[in-house]
Amino acid sequence: MKIIGLTGGIGSGKTTVANFFKELGVPIYIADVEAKKIMNTSASIKKALISWFGEKSYLNNELNRKFISSKVFKDKELLQKLNNIVHPEVDKHFKVWVANQDQSYVIYEAAIIFENNAQSKFDYTILVTAPEDIKVKRVLNRDESTEQEVRNRMKNQWDDSKKEKLANFIIENIDLEDTKSQIYLLHTKLLSLATA
């Protein structure tokens, strides 16, 4: 079974792309969703986050995402610390999940694969791109961020041009019908690579 890394900057539409693959029967592991679950259920992670970020890290036994986000998006060292606490647990969880799949390939969707130098964990990587103004508009439409907050978050991620050099495949996600066509072609290619 091949393991494919799917990534893209904020607002690129990587979750939309992941959902299209899911419709084609490909098992999808959304790292961000699983990380949130783990941060709510793992006692050791909870303890580590409280020791680093303080008691406000959890409200009523639930991860206080807004509080944590406000801390890490302004501070790259704190963001790295958060990733160092959470990512090893997510990796363990992912390995167990993969062992329970039976398709030709699976997709691991994460915002930062290249930034963490994690591309070697995958057989192939897919980068989802879109022009910056479209990305900003998408994020503003989906959550209550200001344009400045969105652009600040983008600064914490690599530019697409840097990631394009490392990706095996690129999906430009501007028009949904065109994106679906690109995904269908890539799905066919990945199936042939997985069975080769």
Side-chain angles (χ1 to χ4, degrees), residues 136-153:
V136 170
K137 208 175 284 179
R138 285 176 181 159
V139 180
L140 292 176
N141 286 339
R142 78 167 185 228
D143 64 27
E144 295 169 15
S145 302
T146 65
E147 186 170 336
Q148 193 52 55
E149 285 170 333
V150 175
R151 292 192 185 278
N152 286 345
R153 281 155 74 185

Side-chain angles (χ1 to χ4, degrees), residues 119-136:
Q119 60 270 26
S120 59
K121 291 184 195 173
F122 306 102
D123 295 296
Y124 301 100
T125 55
I126 303 167
L127 173 66
V128 182
T129 66
E132 191 168 304
D133 57 335
I134 291 178
K135 291 196 253 189
V136 170

Side-chain angles (χ1 to χ4, degrees), residues 87-106:
H87 285 174
E89 292 303 315
V90 174
D91 284 348
K92 274 190 244 173
H93 185 263
F94 177 64
K95 285 183 178 120
V96 172
W97 179 85
V98 167
N100 289 301
Q101 306 306 317
D102 64 351
Q103 297 297 320
S104 301
Y105 73 93
V106 299

Side-chain angles (χ1 to χ4, degrees), residues 51-165:
S51 79
W52 270 95
F53 297 98
E55 293 294 330
K56 284 187 185 168
S57 301
Y58 288 82
L59 281 178
N60 305 322
N61 241 3
E62 286 284 308
L63 181 72
N64 184 349
R65 285 183 53 214
K66 214 171 176 96
F67 173 75
I68 297 278
S69 294
S70 73
K71 294 279 188 197
V72 300
F73 278 118
K74 286 183 292 218
D75 187 327
K76 284 189 176 172
E77 278 180 37
L78 273 182
L79 179 61
Q80 194 54 54
K81 187 70 206 166
L82 176 68
N83 289 338
N84 291 345
I85 292 167
V86 179
H87 285 174
E89 292 303 315
V90 174
D91 284 348
K92 274 190 244 173
H93 185 263
F94 177 64
K95 285 183 178 120
V96 172
W97 179 85
V98 167
N100 289 301
Q101 306 306 317
D102 64 351
Q103 297 297 320
S104 301
Y105 73 93
V106 299
I107 287 178
Y108 177 100
E109 187 253 80
I112 47 175
I113 287 177
F114 301 121
E115 289 90 334
N116 286 336
N117 199 27
Q119 60 270 26
S120 59
K121 291 184 195 173
F122 306 102
D123 295 296
Y124 301 100
T125 55
I126 303 167
L127 173 66
V128 182
T129 66
E132 191 168 304
D133 57 335
I134 291 178
K135 291 196 253 189
V136 170
K137 208 175 284 179
R138 285 176 181 159
V139 180
L140 292 176
N141 286 339
R142 78 167 185 228
D143 64 27
E144 295 169 15
S145 302
T146 65
E147 186 170 336
Q148 193 52 55
E149 285 170 333
V150 175
R151 292 192 185 278
N152 286 345
R153 281 155 74 185
M154 285 178 161
K155 280 183 200 154
N156 271 331
Q157 296 181 345
W158 285 6
D159 196 68
D160 282 348
S161 59
K162 192 172 179 182
K163 292 187 270 198
E164 283 170 3
K165 294 182 181 105

Side-chain angles (χ1 to χ4, degrees), residues 25-38:
V26 180
I28 309 289
Y29 186 94
I30 311 274
D32 196 34
V33 170
E34 299 304 331
K36 280 169 197 149
K37 285 185 201 165
I38 290 166

